[in-house]
């Protein structure tokens, strides 16, 4: 029996979506119905701003197909009726639904994106996440077979960094909680989740708790005690048992994690927000997982604040956005032991998320990090930009000014396609037959 099927059985799942190459290189390997060609829509999870438009968090839909008359335009949005620090989102394994969370109020919103991909619909709100799990700040939404794994940033006792992960079924029912380790070197902090099924490996990273991320950045960095309350670890988990196997020392708040998608590669990469370093997670000659610093991003003394990463489909290139200087960097990681920055471009006064198409020709960039961390005045740009990449230069294709459109602060982005409706039906039909096995 293949490892990925064992994982599915351990999770109580019999129908597992076929994994294939993703439209975005940071999606869960368990997702089906993936976009392999041109994406039609861009879904943007957006923070509400008091006095701007309706002032509420919302899922914004943009038309991003160059053949469309509405290319580069916002074609709709779904407001959730309040502000809760909209942050990250993730598709279910069948790609029929998009889960999105708020870091402040810990509410989770489930959007139907398959019935009409051009017009997502809010179909469920989970408002008892903290009560059920003891966790707050649902951050990472990572599809498992028939499940959603949610990584949180904080807890409901002291709102500090000690936290955990929760497992829900795709109907929105709570199943289990897994605490981040606080022994054997663990600091209990959490942030991102990334899985490599073929290696029975799950990596988690670490950030900070609600007390810090809801504090104004200028005030925070002047508080020495608060600045000590950031994660300095990554954890390697046994995916099948969902038990931590090794705590890796990675100082400086390691954030996004990306496994190499190149067949045969056995390594992952991350960047540390506070120390501006790239770290490699790889097995040593003895077969033990190790983490080591392999490159520097910008000038660490200026705290450029690396925030989001996008690895190329062949595992040979890495995009890194640094928030404070508004720069998008490209690293050649054909030798992951020694990444080399070969290109950079200032893409905004502040930049956060970066979403890359599978073919590597398009790069979407959004501006907002956190409501209280975004810049002030003229530098508080709020946008989504599309860039074309020809291997040598990033060229801006369009810019949607979310401030002028009175939509709020643009944060996380996911792709959608008109074909997703048919793809979701085919996936559901396939699920009625023999069990499907995830894996490369």
């Amino acid at each position: 029996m293949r490892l990925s099927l064992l994982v599915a059985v351990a999770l109580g799942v019999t129908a597992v979506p076929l994994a294939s190459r993703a439209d975005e290189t940071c999606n869960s390997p368990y997702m089906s119905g993936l976009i392999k060609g041109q994406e039609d829509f861009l879904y943007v999870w957006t923070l509400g701003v008091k006095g701007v438009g309706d002032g509420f968090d919302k899922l914004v839909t943009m038309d991003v197909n160059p053949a469309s008359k509405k290319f580069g335009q916002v074609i709709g949005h779904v407001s959730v009726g309040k502000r809760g620090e909209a942050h990250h989102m993730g598709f279910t394994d069948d790609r029929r639904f998009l889960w999105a969370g708020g870091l402040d109020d810990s509410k989770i919103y489930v959007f139907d994106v398959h019935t009409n991909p051009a017009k997502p619909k809010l179909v469920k709100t989970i408002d008892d996440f903290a009560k059920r799990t003891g966790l707050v700040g649902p951050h990472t939404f990572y599809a498992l077979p028939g499940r959603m794994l949610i990584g949180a940033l904080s807890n409901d006792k002291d709102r500090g960094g000690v936290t955990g992960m929760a497992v829900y079924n795709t109907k929105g029912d709570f199943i289990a909680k897994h605490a981040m380790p606080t022994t054997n070197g663990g600091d209990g902090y959490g942030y991102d989740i990334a899985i490599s099924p073929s290696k029975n490996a799950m990596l988690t990273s670490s950030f900070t708790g609600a007390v810090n991320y809801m504090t104004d950045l200028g005030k925070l960095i002047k508080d020495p005690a608060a600045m000590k309350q950031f994660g300095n670890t990554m954890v390697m988990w046994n995916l099948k048992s969902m038990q931590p196997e090794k705590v890796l020392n990675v100082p400086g708040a390691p954030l996004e994690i990306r496994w190499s998608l190149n067949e045969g590669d056995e390594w992952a990469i991350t960047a540390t927000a506070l120390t501006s370093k790239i770290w490699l997670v790889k097995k040593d000659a003895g077969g033990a997982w190790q983490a080591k610093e392999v490159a520097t991003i910008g000038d660490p003394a200026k705290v450029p604040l690396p925030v989001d990463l996008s690895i190329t489909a062949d595992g040979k290139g890495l995009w890194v956005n640094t928030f404070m200087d508004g720069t998008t960097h490209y690293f050649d990681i054909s030798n992951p032991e020694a990444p080399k920055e070969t290109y950079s471009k200032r893409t905004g006064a502040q930049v956060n998320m970066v979403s890359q198409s599978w073919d590597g020709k398009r790069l979407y960039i959004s501006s907002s990090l956190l409501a209280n961390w975004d810049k002030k005045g003229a530098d508080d740009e709020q946008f989504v930009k599309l860039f074309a990449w020809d291997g040598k230069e990033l060229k801006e294709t369009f810019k949607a000014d979310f401030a002028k459109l009175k939509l709020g602060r643009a944060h996380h982005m996911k792709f959608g396609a008109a074909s997703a409706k048919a793809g979701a039906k085919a996936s559901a039909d396939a699920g009625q037959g023999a069990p499907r096995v995830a894996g490369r």
Side-chain angles (χ1 to χ4, degrees):
M1 184 180 291
R2 292 178 62 181
L3 172 62
S4 49
L5 182 56
L6 283 169
V7 173
V9 171
L11 291 169
V13 180
T14 56
V16 184
L18 283 169
S20 57
R21 292 189 166 184
D23 49 324
E24 293 178 271
T25 56
C26 60
N27 279 324
S28 164
Y30 294 110
M31 278 177 51
S32 64
L34 300 170
I35 305 166
K36 299 179 182 178
Q38 171 66 51
E39 59 279 1
D40 296 310
F41 310 112
L42 186 73
Y43 304 126
V44 188
W45 188 217
T46 306
L47 291 74
V49 177
K50 187 176 181 180
V52 176
D54 65 9
F56 301 137
D57 296 350
K58 55 184 64 66
L59 184 68
V60 176
T61 303
M62 297 187 64
D63 187 321
V64 295
N65 190 323
S68 171
K69 293 181 180 179
K70 295 184 178 180
F71 175 63
Q73 297 180 30
V74 171
I75 58 174
H77 58 79
V78 181
S79 176
V80 299
K82 65 173 302 181
R83 287 190 304 277
E85 192 71 32
H87 205 68
H88 281 200
M89 53 186 176
F91 291 109
T92 51
D93 61 344
D94 58 8
R95 205 195 176 89
R96 295 163 64 89
F97 299 94
L98 186 58
W99 290 41
L103 290 187
D104 188 21
D105 63 6
S106 295
K107 290 185 182 295
I108 297 170
Y109 302 95
V110 181
F111 297 92
D112 174 352
V113 292
H114 76 279
T115 300
N116 185 347
K119 296 182 178 180
K121 182 180 179 181
L122 178 62
V123 294
K124 187 179 183 68
T125 300
I126 300 171
D127 57 12
D128 61 353
F129 179 77
K131 181 179 179 180
R132 286 287 190 129
T133 68
L135 307 173
V136 298
H139 177 270
T140 300
F141 296 85
Y142 205 88
L144 295 175
R147 304 284 192 267
M148 181 64 77
L149 179 61
I150 303 172
L153 296 187
S154 192
N155 66 78
D156 67 349
K157 291 183 178 180
D158 63 9
R159 294 176 65 84
V162 176
T163 187
M165 299 176 289
V167 181
Y168 281 70
N169 65 25
T170 50
K171 293 181 180 179
D173 301 318
F174 172 68
I175 296 173
K177 172 185 172 181
H178 302 278
M180 292 295 178
T182 55
T183 59
N184 299 318
D187 53 24
Y189 286 29
Y191 184 79
D192 198 17
I193 301 168
I195 289 173
S196 178
S198 64
K199 303 171 189 61
N200 188 31
M202 179 173 73
L203 265 175
T204 58
S205 55
S206 55
F207 183 44
T208 194
V211 172
N212 271 2
Y213 66 68
M214 292 303 297
T215 296
D216 179 84
L217 183 59
K219 179 180 178 181
L220 179 65
I221 61 178
K222 294 177 182 178
D223 184 341
M227 290 302 294
K228 293 179 181 179
Q229 304 304 313
F230 281 84
N232 292 293
T233 62
M234 297 179 73
V235 181
M236 182 62 73
W237 299 70
N238 181 303
L239 176 60
K240 180 181 175 182
S241 67
M242 293 294 287
Q243 294 296 313
E245 290 191 329
K246 186 172 185 178
V247 175
L248 304 169
N249 181 42
V250 184
L255 299 184
E256 308 293 340
I257 310 166
R258 305 290 179 251
W259 284 101
S260 173
L261 301 173
N262 186 45
E263 193 72 35
D265 283 352
E266 295 190 0
W267 52 266
I269 210 156
T270 190
T272 51
L274 302 184
T275 56
S276 202
K277 304 292 184 181
I278 293 176
W279 283 71
L280 177 69
V281 178
K282 186 179 180 181
K283 286 184 177 179
D284 61 20
W289 289 105
Q290 305 290 350
K292 65 176 180 178
E293 177 190 319
V294 291
T296 299
I297 307 162
D299 181 357
K302 297 179 180 179
V303 194
L305 196 60
V307 278
D308 197 22
L309 311 176
S310 181
I311 195 168
T312 58
D314 60 6
K316 297 184 183 299
L318 184 75
W319 291 101
V320 183
N321 269 358
T322 47
F323 178 79
M324 295 302 292
D325 58 8
T327 301
T328 299
H329 311 255
Y330 182 80
F331 283 82
D332 178 346
I333 56 171
S334 52
N335 176 7
E337 303 275 353
K340 296 180 180 179
E341 184 171 345
T342 58
Y343 177 83
S344 67
K345 183 184 182 76
R346 190 173 189 270
T347 49
Q350 57 184 15
V351 296
N352 187 23
M353 305 304 293
V354 53
S355 293
Q356 176 186 194
S357 61
W358 183 263
D359 60 16
K361 295 180 179 180
R362 297 174 300 286
L363 209 68
Y364 295 87
I365 293 175
S366 64
S367 54
S368 180
L369 176 53
L370 291 160
N372 290 325
W373 288 29
D374 285 355
K375 295 182 178 180
K376 307 295 193 295
D379 285 342
D380 185 19
E381 293 184 341
Q382 298 301 334
F383 61 77
V384 167
K385 293 182 180 180
L386 171 61
F387 290 86
W389 173 248
D390 60 5
K392 297 180 179 179
E393 174 70 22
L394 282 176
K395 296 181 180 179
E396 187 175 318
T397 303
F398 70 67
K399 172 185 176 181
D401 189 325
F402 273 45
K404 287 185 178 180
L405 293 169
K406 297 183 178 181
L407 293 173
R409 302 178 182 277
H411 190 75
H412 207 192
M413 302 170 288
K414 290 291 184 182
F415 296 164
S419 61
K421 182 176 181 180
K425 183 179 185 302
S427 176
D429 291 343
Q432 296 172 6
R436 291 167 288 156
V437 180
R440 295 178 187 164

